[in-house]
Structure formats: C-alpha cells, structure tokens
C-alpha cells in the first residue's frame, strides 16, 4: 500500500483525468432512477457488460417498480439468469420494488439511509445512485478504486470505508463529483490487477508504484 499522496500531486492527477474525459459516465445501462438502482444492485460480483446484456431487453418493457411486480419473480429470474447470483438478486429486486411502491409512491428515494434500507442495496450501490442520478458527490468504492487508491497513493486504505474517506478528505472539491468514475475507468482499463498498462498511463510519472510494467 502506497503512502497518501500530497495535495498538489492529487490535483495534478485529477486535472489530467478531467482533461482526458471531462464528463465520465458509468457503464451500466439505465433509463431512469429505478432502472439504475436495479442495474447497480444486479452488478454485485458481476461485470457491467454482463449486466447490460440482460437488462437492455428487460428495461425495454420493465422500467418502473410496478412493472417489475407485474413481471413477477419467475419472469425476472428468467430474464437475469445469465447474471451471477441471479436467484437471490431477483428476490431482492422484487422485494425492493414492493417497498418502493408501498412506501415511496413508486419513486426512488434520494436519501442514502432510505436506499440502504432496501433489500440488496448496500452503501456502494446507494452511493452510485446518489452520484449518477442525484448528482451527489458520493464515492462508490469498488474493487478497481480500492486497487488504484492503494497502488497509487491517491486514496489508500485497508478497507473500502477508509478508502472512501480518503477520497472525500484528499481529492479537491471540484473533482469530487466525477472522482469515482475517473478512478473506476482508469482501474478497469489501464491500472488493471494482474498486469497494469503502465506504458499507456497518463499519470505514470506521478504514480509511486514501483513495479511498473513496460
């Protein structure tokens, strides 16, 4: 685990990320707040591409909690059977849809506490929805951000909560809204787990990682 980078280095890193991709987007397909919530819940221990393959046809006709309840558990289970842990995820989505209809008028709440009270929705899922839909500068720490944060010293920490706090504490405020997207994309495509593509890295000269690849 690298030591925490200084403020000026972090600012330089995110200035480069911003110049390369001013408006980074999440890669999960969605059409509204509800389909985003479902997509993120389904993405646990699954790839975005794998989730999108199942949800694009699903969301074409099922884009509200009530429509999901009309589809039913059996129909949803069949629709997402290519996604890992699909049986439990289908149960969670049906139950959270029931709660949204019964308690929230079919709308997705904009409160982290309310989101985390839904079945299958943890802090990371809640933070993704808050960030992508409600434009709250919430930081969703996934495996890519955890690896990147510790490897580079941008936001080191022994667990996801510590990394999340390090992002909030050390990344300048003007970069907070898009910080987790920039880091996810960099970790997914450049700073990969087994063989990072250091030769293609735009922050190579600012990164203290000693085992750089050629």
């Amino acid at each position: 685990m690298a030591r925490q980078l200084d403020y000026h280095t972090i600012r330089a890193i995110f200035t480069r990320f911003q110049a390369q991709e001013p408006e980074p987007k999440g890669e999960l397909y969605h059409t509204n707040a509800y389909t985003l919530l479902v997509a993120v819940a389904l993405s646990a221990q699954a790839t975005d591409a794998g989730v999108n393959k199942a949800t694009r046809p699903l969301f074409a006709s099922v884009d509200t909690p009530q429509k999901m309840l009309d589809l039913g558990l059996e129909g949803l289970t069949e629709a997402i059977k290519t996604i890992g842990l699909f049986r439990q995820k289908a149960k969670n989505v049906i139950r959270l849809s029931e709660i949204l209809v019964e308690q929230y008028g079919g709308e997705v709440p904009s409160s982290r506490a309310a989101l985390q009270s839904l079945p299958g929705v943890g802090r990371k899922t809640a933070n993704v929805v808050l960030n992508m839909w409600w434009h709250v500068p919430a930081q969703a720490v996934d495996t890519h951000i955890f690896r990147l944060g510790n490897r580079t010293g941008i936001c080191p920490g022994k667990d996801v909560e510590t990394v999340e706090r390090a992002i909030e504490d050390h990344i300048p405020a003007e970069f907070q809204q898009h910080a987790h997207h920039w880091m996810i994309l960099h970790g997914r495509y450049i700073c990969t787990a087994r063989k990072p593509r250091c030769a293609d890295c735009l922050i190579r000269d600012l990164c203290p990682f000693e085992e750089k690849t050629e």
Side-chain angles (χ1 to χ4, degrees):
M1 182 170 67
R3 290 193 302 175
Q4 176 70 56
L5 291 177
D6 64 83
Y7 173 84
H8 297 291
T9 303
I10 292 176
R11 172 174 285 283
I13 286 172
F14 282 89
T15 298
R16 293 183 190 181
F17 284 156
Q18 185 180 57
Q20 183 187 55
E21 184 62 66
E23 295 287 334
K25 305 294 183 185
E27 297 185 323
L28 281 172
Y29 174 73
H30 63 282
T31 61
N32 56 26
Y34 174 70
T35 55
L36 174 61
L37 174 63
V38 172
V40 181
L42 294 177
S43 71
Q45 296 179 288
T47 65
D48 287 1
V51 172
N52 289 344
K53 186 176 181 180
T55 57
R56 281 185 182 276
L58 173 66
F59 293 159
S61 58
V62 181
D63 59 358
T64 69
Q66 187 58 58
K67 289 179 182 178
M68 189 66 76
L69 296 179
D70 293 342
L71 176 65
L73 178 60
E74 187 174 332
L76 176 58
T77 301
E78 178 65 23
I80 65 170
K81 65 182 181 182
T82 57
I83 300 174
L85 308 176
F86 68 97
R87 294 187 190 282
Q88 184 57 50
K89 289 178 180 179
K91 292 177 183 177
N92 287 339
V93 169
I94 292 297
R95 181 59 189 138
L96 73 80
S97 299
E98 290 175 343
I99 293 172
L100 291 178
V101 169
E102 294 167 1
Q103 299 182 22
Y104 298 98
E107 300 294 326
V108 174
S110 57
S111 152
R112 179 185 283 116
L115 287 167
Q116 285 190 244
S117 72
L118 300 171
V121 178
R123 186 176 180 87
K124 185 181 80 171
T125 297
N127 281 350
V128 172
V129 175
L130 289 171
N131 183 286
M132 290 181 63
W133 195 259
W134 302 109
H135 306 297
V136 175
Q139 308 302 332
V141 178
D142 71 350
T143 182
H144 300 299
I145 292 179
F146 188 81
R147 177 179 66 254
L148 180 69
N150 280 290
R151 184 180 277 170
T152 63
I154 292 173
C155 48
K158 294 182 179 180
D159 52 51
V160 295
E161 289 81 8
T162 306
V163 170
E164 183 180 331
R165 286 197 300 272
I167 295 173
E168 295 171 346
D169 291 345
H170 296 286
I171 294 174
E174 65 262 39
F175 301 121
Q176 287 281 331
Q177 180 62 50
H178 295 311
H180 93 276
H181 278 131
W182 281 317
M183 287 190 286
I184 285 172
L185 294 172
H186 194 71
R188 180 175 292 161
Y189 296 111
I190 301 296
C191 196
T192 52
R194 295 185 180 180
K195 191 176 181 181
R197 295 170 52 199
C198 297
D200 300 321
C201 179
L202 81 166
I203 62 168
R204 178 187 173 110
D205 58 312
L206 301 174
C207 174
F209 182 55
E210 295 181 356
E211 301 171 31
K212 289 187 174 71
T213 59
E214 296 300 326

